Amino acid sequence: MVSAQVPNYRGEVLLEPGINSGKCMTASSNSDGATVTIQSCTGATSQKWSFSGGSVKVFGDKCLDVTADGVALQILTCSTDNNPNQQFYYSGDFHLAWTDHGKCMDLTDGNQSDGNRIQLWECGGVNQIWNTGYYYTDLPNTSEDGQSGTNNCGTGSSDSAQCQTAWINSAEDFCLWAPPTVDSIGNSERLEVAYCTKSGRGARTMPDGTLQGVHFVKTPDYVQVTGVGDFTKINVAAGDAGGELDPHGADGNGNPIGGLVYGNSFGTGQQYHEWTSFISSNEFCFRACVGAQAATLCQHIYDVMGCYWNMPANYDSGVFENCDGDDDLPMGVYGTSTWYQGVSPTPTPHPAAPSSNCVPLSTVSVTPARKRRSSNGFEKVALWTTYLITTLVFSMPVQ
């Protein structure tokens, strides 16, 4: 088990099983002895947990607590004497462990049904991965220490926005990370902001002519958008060979720090906890993964290998399309062997997985992201709208 710590995300967070980010750890009520289960994420107070003093708290004064059998979990009024049954830590490999007991919070039998009670079990296994994050309509101002921008971006659009919340839904509805001012990706990776194809997300929008080819694919385990363009229009330095961006930098914070990614493809407003993106002055790729294989399919250790090696796909200029597809083979994995960057010889990239049901985007009217009433989130924007193949056309901002 990796050394003890608290999550990198600040404040009250959701705790979501790694195998399903649409489910959240939930206290059944605000009372001593209330059970702890998984339920569909709603952002309710009963799903907002904080880490303080070695304990995991909910409702302000209740703590995650181990029942007498040493297996089941409940909540109980927080003790004042560091009750060992209320001492937990969040590990660097995304386990929530009972301190000094060798047991971890476990999604019982991997059952993802609402009401499944969470248990403690010997540490190890995919059912013990717990991601932290935020509900899409209740984003914090900042999510990580040292963040330069904001996550609670509002519903406007501005050329100077410092929004660090990105969305990826389709070829006509996605965002890219790029510098806030003209710079190379290598110099600015911790500061990147979101540039989106939809106005009204509180982010910057991509100027006309930025995108010259876009290929979107949804597979069983990820969404991915790849393409080419003139990314000097979004402050990538001319001639920059680019770099990789992901949620797991060397210090545990993301690149950019506090960068959050959401989408509607696997459930409305689900947070993608594993994603990887490359951008240069003329090419981009962005993949966001879900499920048990998310970390493998969105691997981020091959940061000098570029787009096509990590995400083999269609990068043709002049082609704009939405497709279904199969999963690519995991980057760096060849049969039973894993290649590590810097080891000679460098293997060739995997072939691109087959895609199907491709819908070309020809003539279009691009609409703003639709604002949900009484929230700072957005409703799912319908796919397969029409698109002007030579340029992206942005409509007026949300009124």
Side-chain angles (χ1 to χ4, degrees), residues 182-185 230-232 235-242 279-282:
V182 176
D183 207 340
S184 68
I185 300 301
D230 178 7
F231 301 113
T232 65
N235 286 334
V236 179
D240 182 28
I279 188 169
S280 69
S281 62
N282 60 6

Side-chain angles (χ1 to χ4, degrees), residues 215-238:
H215 173 81
F216 174 87
V217 62
K218 179 186 176 185
T219 80
D221 293 298
Y222 60 79
V223 289
Q224 177 178 287
V225 61
T226 58
V228 294
D230 178 7
F231 301 113
T232 65
K233 292 180 179 291
I234 56 173
N235 286 334
V236 179

Side-chain angles (χ1 to χ4, degrees), residues 287 293 295-302 305 309-310 312 328-341 347-351:
R287 178 186 290 181
Q293 297 301 309
T296 300
L297 292 170
C298 276
Q299 185 57 264
H300 56 86
I301 62 174
Y302 303 107
M305 300 304 297
W309 194 92
N310 280 276
D328 279 335
L329 293 171
M331 56 276 274
V333 178
Y334 296 83
T336 59
S337 299
T338 299
W339 177 78
Y340 292 96
Q341 188 170 277
T348 58
H350 293 306

Side-chain angles (χ1 to χ4, degrees), residues 68-88:
D69 62 6
V71 175
L73 289 167
Q74 62 182 359
I75 62 169
L76 206 63
T77 298
C78 296
S79 72
T80 58
D81 58 356
N82 295 321
N83 181 344
N85 286 350
Q86 296 182 357
Q87 294 294 292
F88 293 85

Side-chain angles (χ1 to χ4, degrees), residues 17 19 36-38 71-73 104-113 115-121 127-128 130:
I19 59 176
V36 179
T37 67
I38 62 162
V71 175
L73 289 167
C104 289
M105 193 168 73
D106 184 276
L107 182 61
T108 306
D109 299 324
N111 183 348
Q112 302 172 40
S113 300
N116 184 24
R117 192 165 182 180
I118 297 166
Q119 66 178 358
L120 287 170
W121 205 254
N127 293 336
Q128 296 176 359
W130 294 88

